Amino acid sequence: MGKFNIVVAGCGSMANAWVKAALAREDAAIVGLVDLKPEAAQAMADRHGLSCGLYTDLSQALRETRANLVFDVTIPASHYSICSTAMQMGADVFGEKPMTESMEQAHGLVAIAERTGRSYAVMQNRRFIPQLRALKELISQGGIGRLGYTGADFFIGPHFGGFRDTMDSPLILDMAVHTFDQARCLTGADPVSVYCHEFNPPGSWYAGNASAVCIFEMSDGSVFAYRGSWCAEGAPTSWEAQWRMNGEIGTAVWDGTGTPYAEKVAPTDQSGKLLREFERWELASNWGGRPGHEGCLDEMFAALAGGRPAETDCRDNIKSMAMVHGAIESVKAGRKIDLRGY
């Protein structure tokens, strides 16, 4: 494939990292900026020294620039419109999470990708972290035996302002999708069912429920438990959550910041002992990619250039979306939700 000619849809602060990444590539050029507010597109152009076209309509931008790639960095409510327009007009899409605000729309985008032959990859930058890849390698190689339980705790109190403060389910829809996707990445398993209790605790500055506890049954027979809050003041966890993974012969632990470690039963005679002895080791990563946002974009570009699905292709990422929307449906129904074929 030749040069990636890119139109950036959405010129808020979140788009800066996307623009910088594109400008750092020799095979990419930004040929258009789109935002409902012309002043936002102009500010983005000025900030990065761009002389490309500025638009308020994506269709017009694609017609005039003939771009073959769209960066969708708009708010979640706009993702379906932006991505469907781009693919139907012949452009591939790299987009911010979540895919959409509903499973119906998510399935619709997968169908459009299939019908048009276009690629739609989703930004799941929190997969691309050396420590998480080290954990993933341990699990995939059976380092602690067959997995039985994975737990993630996420407790942070960010005061964003803006659209998140008015969402119905800000934690689950806008943030928990990261942790849910990380769980799928770590375990190599997909969700089978979910039960979720969602609530808004005292002192919350969100209009919607900003805290939740979720229990997922996974396709490998293990359980993934998520406990989280986006209005937890004091003693915050990492943005990557705190993880504990229990296997049949050991346990792996990661605080989301430092080096993960594992303990497994020591290969000694432990007959007659009430509590066994363990050997402990730190988990080094053999993954050579760049971390975070840059690593995810590297994978997206490499996949598109190589004509293969990206690790975060919409066909895969919809399974993480099923965890999100299944959890929300569970809250509304007050029962466990079957996610097979969701």
Side-chain angles (χ1 to χ4, degrees):
M1 176 174 287
K3 178 173 286 189
F4 299 105
N5 294 313
I6 303 166
V7 164
V8 180
C11 295
S13 59
M14 193 162 50
N16 284 310
W18 291 75
V19 171
K20 288 179 181 178
L23 293 176
R25 299 182 63 93
E26 294 183 355
D27 60 353
I30 295 177
V31 296
L33 298 174
V34 181
D35 200 284
L36 292 176
K37 299 179 179 178
E39 63 272 19
Q42 184 64 62
M44 182 67 69
D46 293 343
R47 187 177 303 118
H48 296 282
L50 298 171
S51 58
C52 61
L54 307 180
Y55 304 90
T56 58
D57 178 71
L58 177 61
S59 297
Q60 180 186 1
L62 289 172
R63 284 194 301 270
E64 294 187 7
T65 65
R66 298 185 180 180
N68 57 9
L69 179 60
V70 169
F71 284 176
D72 178 12
V73 205
T74 62
I75 63 173
S78 299
H79 289 180
Y80 180 82
S81 174
I82 294 295
C83 295
S84 59
T85 297
M87 288 189 285
Q88 289 176 132
M89 293 187 68
D92 298 301
V93 182
F94 297 167
E96 263 296 344
K97 56 78 192 166
M99 283 178 64
T100 59
E101 288 193 316
S102 74
M103 284 303 294
E104 180 181 7
Q105 289 183 338
H107 282 292
L109 290 182
V110 170
I112 292 171
E114 293 280 4
R115 185 175 70 251
T116 62
R118 306 323 310 171
S119 173
Y120 170 34
V122 183
M123 175 54 68
Q124 295 287 180
N125 53 299
R126 297 182 187 278
R127 279 183 173 231
F128 296 87
I129 298 170
Q131 298 98 315
L132 185 137
R133 305 303 277 210
L135 271 177
K136 176 180 174 63
E137 184 176 347
L138 172 78
I139 300 304
S140 65
Q141 294 180 354
I144 57 173
R146 289 176 299 174
L147 198 62
Y149 170 83
T150 299
D153 284 352
F154 178 90
F155 292 91
I156 295 179
H159 293 258
F160 290 112
F163 71 91
R164 293 178 182 89
D165 284 7
T166 62
M167 291 175 67
D168 289 337
S169 299
L171 175 70
I172 291 180
L173 187 59
D174 193 59
M175 185 61 205
V177 63
H178 274 306
T179 313
F180 294 172
D181 187 72
Q182 285 175 316
R184 288 186 53 241
C185 179
L186 285 170
T187 64
D190 293 325
V192 173
S193 72
V194 59
Y195 176 78
C196 177
H197 177 69
E198 187 188 42
F199 59 102
N200 209 24
S204 173
W205 49 94
Y206 296 87
N209 290 327
S211 300
V213 177
C214 305
I215 302 171
F216 292 92
E217 294 174 292
M218 305 297 285
S219 58
D220 62 355
S222 68
V223 169
F224 167 54
Y226 172 85
R227 303 186 302 180
S229 178
W230 235 4
C231 55
E233 298 285 36
T237 65
S238 163
W239 282 87
E240 311 310 330
Q242 294 178 342
W243 294 84
R244 181 182 184 91
M245 307 183 75
N246 292 98
E248 58 187 336
I249 59 170
T251 294
V253 175
W254 182 39
D255 67 2
T257 303
T259 302
Y261 68 90
E263 291 186 353
K264 70 177 181 179
V265 178
T268 57
D269 181 10
Q270 303 201 42
S271 57
K273 292 184 178 179
L274 176 64
L275 297 177
R276 294 187 174 185
E277 295 178 352
F278 305 94
E279 57 182 15
R280 171 173 170 160
W281 74 102
E282 293 188 344
L283 303 180
S285 173
N286 295 315
W287 180 65
R290 295 195 294 173
H293 195 276
E294 292 176 333
C296 190
L297 278 174
D298 286 345
E299 161 62 11
M300 290 175 173
F301 277 111
L304 193 56
R308 61 171 175 83
E311 182 175 325
T312 60
D313 180 82
C314 61
R315 298 162 187 82
D316 178 83
N317 193 248
I318 197 170
K319 298 171 184 175
S320 298
M321 288 297 298
M323 297 175 78
V324 171
H325 290 287
I328 293 173
E329 182 180 345
S330 174
V331 171
K332 294 177 179 178
R335 59 178 174 83
K336 183 168 72 174
I337 299 298
D338 190 331
L339 297 178
R340 289 168 290 193
Y342 194 79

